[in-house]
């Protein structure tokens, strides 16, 4: 999130005003979460004040502020963790206050036990709430009224946060995920176009080094698209409107995987171009690859840019587009033809120049991988997607333990292996 904001600010500094949809992807949609959080906090305070949990029930709206998240699953998870932390902290404080009271060593013990218990309960961002609740209740001698009001207000705030997310259904974030994929494809295409243009002009070790750095910078865009798609996937949990994203997710995930691997292939290609300049004398670095090779590679990269833009159109749209209507097959056929042309120009006798043979092989490997991954990015999905079950990790752990126990259990004797005689 911080990196996204920095990128948005940098676009202002460069004089380019970012579009509204780009701001939404990087910073978040304004208004919706603000309204939900405000309503939840107000509702929690009104309910707690009506019940009379305390004279100033500010803990209830505070809990609502902390638990309301962008997705329903996150809100429920945060609510459970918050309630568990407060309840555990109150129980620890009441037990210590009943037997010991407040001293410096009892306070140290409460903090240590609370942190240890919070780690065992996996309370996440609400870990510190456990020792905080314990210290506050311990400071008043474990008074039942204070302990009870803290628990009740936490429950009211958590319930208000969940209720508001149920009434105001959280969005699926499908459109921002598709738009982020489209922007990733567009930036990769612009990069390969620019690299192709540079290859057609003069070339040096400094140029190759700079292009490798620029290629690495594309990783931030890949990570941003992955975060947007992960948020869209998480928004399906406990969401009654999740049917649509279950149909769209395989197409988006396949496109992102293909673009991610294409990005890695682009990095490998830039690294191969740089490595070649280090295996020739300094005065020959401008001719590490002759004009015909660089022109053929530039033509290949032009076609890659066109194919990647096609993948972006396939991924960013909210409706599936038939693969035949994309024109991707023509781009792929052109990629094969231009790859063969480049391979012919890079032929070298491995006995005459083994270093060049290895470096040309690395370059062709990156070219081949780029072609394969672009094709895989627009591969049609075979079936719809379903979010993982909440307890799937626990079930897998149980299955693993059961398999290990079976492996360790002794096998029954067979007819070929008679039982040993008793001692």
């Amino acid at each position: 999130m911080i990196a996204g904001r920095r990128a948005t600010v940098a676009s202002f500094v460069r004089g380019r005003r970012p579009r509204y949809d780009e701001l939404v992807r990087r910073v978040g949609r304004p208004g919706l979460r603000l309204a939900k959080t405000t309503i939840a906090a107000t509702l929690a305070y009104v309910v707690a004040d009506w019940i009379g949990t305390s004279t100033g029930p500010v803990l209830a709206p505070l809990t609502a502020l902390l638990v309301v998240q962008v997705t329903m699953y996150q809100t429920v998870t945060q609510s459970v963790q918050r309630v568990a932390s407060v309840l555990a902290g109150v129980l620890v404080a009441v037990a210590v206050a009943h037997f010991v009271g407040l001293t410096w060593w009892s306070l140290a013990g409460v903090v240590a036990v609370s942190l240890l218990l919070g780690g065992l309960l996996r309370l996440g961002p609400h870990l510190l709430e456990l020792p905080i609740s314990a210290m506050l209740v311990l400071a008043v001698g474990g008074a039942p009224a204070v302990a009870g009001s803290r628990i009740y207000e936490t429950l009211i705030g958590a319930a208000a946060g969940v209720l508001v997310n149920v009434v105001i259904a959280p969005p699926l974030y499908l459109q921002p995920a598709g738009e982020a994929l489209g922007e990733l494809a567009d930036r990769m295409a612009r990069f390969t176009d620019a690299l192709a243009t540079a290859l057609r002009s003069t070339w040096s070790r400094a140029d190759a080094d700079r292009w490798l750095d620029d290629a690495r910078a594309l990783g931030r865009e890949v990570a941003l698209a992955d975060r947007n798609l992960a948020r869209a996937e998480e928004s399906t949990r406990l969401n009654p409107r999740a049917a649509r994203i279950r149909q769209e997710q395989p197409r988006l995930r396949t496109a992102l995987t293909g673009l991610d691997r294409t990005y890695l292939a682009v990095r490998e290609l830039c690294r191969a171009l740089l490595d070649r300049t280090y295996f020739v004398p300094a005065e020959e670095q401008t001719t590490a690859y002759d004009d015909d090779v660089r022109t053929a590679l530039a033509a290949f990269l032009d076609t890659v840019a066109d194919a990647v833009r096609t993948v972006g159109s396939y991924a960013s749209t909210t409706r599936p587009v038939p693969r035949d209507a994309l024109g991707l097959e023509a781009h792929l056929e052109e990629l094969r033809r231009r790859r063969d042309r480049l391979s012919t120009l890079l032929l070298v006798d491995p006995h005459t120049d083994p270093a060049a043979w290895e470096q040309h092989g690395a370059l062709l490997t990156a070219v081949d991988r780029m072609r394969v991954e672009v094709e895989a990015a627009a591969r049609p999905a075979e079936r719809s997607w379903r979010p993982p079950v909440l307890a799937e990790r626990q079930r897998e752990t149980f299955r693993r333990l059961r398999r290990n126990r079976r492996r360790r259990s002794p096998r029954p004797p067979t007819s070929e292996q008679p039982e040993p005689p008793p001692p």
Side-chain angles (χ1 to χ4, degrees), residues 11 26 67-68 79 82 110 136 226 263 266 286 339 342 391 412:
S11 64
R26 295 184 179 274
V67 301
V68 173
S79 300
R82 176 79 178 182
V110 164
L136 292 176
D226 184 69
Y263 152 70
V266 170
T286 57
R339 185 268 177 202
L342 179 63

Side-chain angles (χ1 to χ4, degrees), residues 188 192 255 257-272 297 300-301 304 307-308 311 332 335-336 339-340 342 360-379:
M188 290 180 62
T192 52
T257 301
L259 290 176
D260 183 18
R261 293 174 178 173
T262 303
Y263 152 70
L264 295 176
V266 170
R267 281 186 55 177
E268 291 179 7
L269 183 141
C270 292
R271 181 57 187 263
L297 180 58
F300 177 85
L301 290 175
V304 169
V308 168
V311 173
L332 295 176
L335 284 176
R336 295 186 189 97
R339 185 268 177 202
D340 293 340
L342 179 63
H360 294 350
L363 181 64
L364 287 176
T365 299
V367 165
D368 281 332
R369 183 171 299 176
M370 203 179 306
R371 177 180 57 84
V372 170
E373 298 303 341
V374 168
E375 180 179 7
R379 186 173 299 161

Side-chain angles (χ1 to χ4, degrees), residues 126-147:
H126 298 286
L127 172 64
L128 294 180
E129 181 58 35
L130 201 155
I132 291 174
S133 297
M135 287 188 294
L136 292 176
V137 176
L138 184 62
V140 295
V146 176

Side-chain angles (χ1 to χ4, degrees), residues 33 66-81 126 165 173 230-231 234-235 237-238:
R33 187 176 179 183
L66 294 175
V67 301
V68 173
Q69 302 295 320
V70 293
T71 65
M72 186 67 181
Y73 174 72
Q74 287 182 353
T75 300
V76 173
T77 302
Q78 296 282 331
S79 300
V80 172
Q81 291 177 345
H126 298 286
N165 256 346
Y173 298 102
R231 183 178 63 175
E234 188 178 81
S235 68
R237 290 184 170 184
L238 307 178

